[in-house]
Amino acid sequence: MISNPSTETTVASKLEALLNLQRLDSQLDEIRRVRGDLPEEVRDLEDEIAGYEVRVSKFDEEIQALNDQIKQRKQNAKDADGLIKKYEDQQQNVRNNREYEAIAKEIELQRLEIQISEKKIKEAQYQIELKNTDIAGTKQRLEERKKDLTNKNTELQTIVGESEADEKKLLEEREEAVKPIEERLLTAYTRIRGNVRNGLAVVMVKRDACGGCFNTVPPQRQADIISHKKIIVCEHCGRVLADVDVKQPA
């Protein structure tokens, strides 16, 4: 129970202001409910698309690096081939076996360099093929997600467009509705709304039950609520019990 020493009229006006705020918030909740999970789905798709784009960009960078390696390996092989020809020419003019064998070893090293370069080139080309396959699959998923995003955005914009004027009007009314409510009550109202599923922080007692959790409200407590001498909350769910609906069933 939130005790309040204010007069009956003041308490009644505070409860009326809270009920009005709850009415506006419930209408805003309904507008957002109609939108459902679309805003979240749109955000998720945008994040997924961004992830795919980063992945494609990373693949492109890796392929560029592999192509640079291939280019360097080809140059190494070309240089090695040039050295082999140079050493073979030198072999024709050696003066002894020692020089011949030394040059032969250099030729063998350069041939080994060519073999290593050719092997590395093939490995890099294979990696490029794999990455190109990954890129193709990623780009396909990217295009699919972009189409999904376009459809979801169109659907969302249609729904938003239908309710945009109403939402703007309600938000303007809400801005005015919170002005007469003291900060302490507004804080409590916001906290309660955040703790309940249906967003109802201020309710009426209907058919002897709390309008939020539907637990029975005892007669004496209903009398206290009707008196408007203090602000009373439901002992089961903590919602503010603003008034008692005394209408008789038809």
Side-chain angles (χ1 to χ4, degrees):
M1 182 182 298
I2 304 174
S3 59
N4 195 312
S6 303
T7 64
E8 180 179 337
T9 303
T10 303
V11 171
S13 64
K14 288 180 179 180
L15 289 170
E16 184 178 352
L18 285 172
L19 269 174
N20 183 47
L21 179 59
Q22 180 65 75
R23 176 183 63 81
L24 294 170
D25 278 338
S26 292
Q27 289 178 308
L28 285 166
D29 288 344
E30 178 59 21
I31 287 175
R32 289 155 188 164
R33 186 194 66 77
V34 171
R35 293 174 190 170
D37 296 329
L38 274 175
E40 186 176 345
E41 289 174 9
V42 166
R43 286 192 296 272
D44 288 345
L45 281 169
E46 288 172 341
D47 290 342
E48 190 175 356
I49 287 169
Y52 282 138
E53 288 174 340
V54 168
R55 189 174 180 185
V56 168
S57 177
K58 185 179 178 183
F59 279 141
D60 287 339
E61 291 174 1
E62 291 172 350
I63 288 175
Q64 183 59 52
L66 288 167
N67 279 322
D68 290 342
Q69 289 178 29
I70 290 172
K71 184 178 179 181
Q72 184 59 53
R73 289 292 179 181
K74 285 181 176 179
Q75 185 60 49
N76 291 347
K78 183 178 180 181
D79 293 342
D81 188 59
L83 287 171
I84 288 172
K85 291 176 180 177
K86 175 183 175 183
Y87 290 141
E88 286 176 342
D89 288 341
Q90 290 178 359
Q91 274 186 326
Q92 304 301 319
N93 302 308
V94 296
R95 290 169 295 182
N96 52 55
N97 287 340
R98 185 178 177 183
E99 287 183 7
Y100 185 89
E101 289 175 1
I103 292 174
K105 285 183 180 180
E106 288 296 331
I107 291 173
E108 186 61 30
L109 285 174
Q110 296 308 315
R111 284 175 178 164
L112 181 61
E113 174 63 28
I114 291 172
Q115 289 177 2
I116 291 172
S117 292
E118 289 175 345
K119 180 183 177 183
K120 293 295 183 183
I121 287 170
K122 288 179 181 179
E123 289 175 355
Q125 289 172 336
Y126 178 67
Q127 288 297 319
I128 288 173
E129 288 178 9
L130 291 178
K131 291 184 186 299
N132 277 328
T133 300
D134 287 338
I135 285 177
T138 302
K139 284 185 175 179
Q140 182 180 350
R141 290 191 291 275
L142 177 60
E143 289 306 310
E144 290 171 355
R145 292 299 176 269
K146 282 184 176 180
K147 289 178 182 177
D148 290 341
L149 179 60
T150 299
N151 292 335
K152 292 289 183 184
N153 261 326
T154 300
E155 187 179 353
L156 179 59
Q157 291 307 313
T158 299
I159 294 174
V160 169
E162 291 172 350
S163 59
E164 189 173 15
D166 290 339
E167 184 179 19
K168 183 179 178 182
K169 183 174 180 293
L170 286 168
L171 287 171
E172 290 172 353
E173 290 180 19
R174 190 187 191 281
E175 190 174 339
E176 292 299 316
V178 298
K179 289 181 179 178
I181 302 174
E182 60 187 83
E183 186 176 349
R184 179 179 63 89
L185 283 178
L186 187 58
T187 300
Y189 169 84
T190 303
R191 185 185 69 251
I192 296 169
R193 259 178 65 80
N195 290 336
V196 295
R197 285 190 220 174
N198 57 12
L200 293 176
V202 184
V203 296
M204 301 276 285
V205 175
K206 296 183 178 181
R207 296 184 178 181
D208 300 325
C210 168
C213 68
F214 308 112
N215 278 290
T216 300
V217 179
Q220 181 55 51
R221 199 165 186 80
Q222 291 187 43
D224 292 339
I225 295 167
I226 293 172
S227 70
H228 293 157
K229 291 180 180 178
K230 52 194 171 185
I231 295 176
I232 298 173
V233 299
C234 174
E235 60 186 11
H236 299 284
C237 66
R239 291 176 172 89
V240 175
L241 300 172
D243 210 341
V244 177
D245 187 350
V246 294
K247 292 179 182 178
Q248 297 298 322

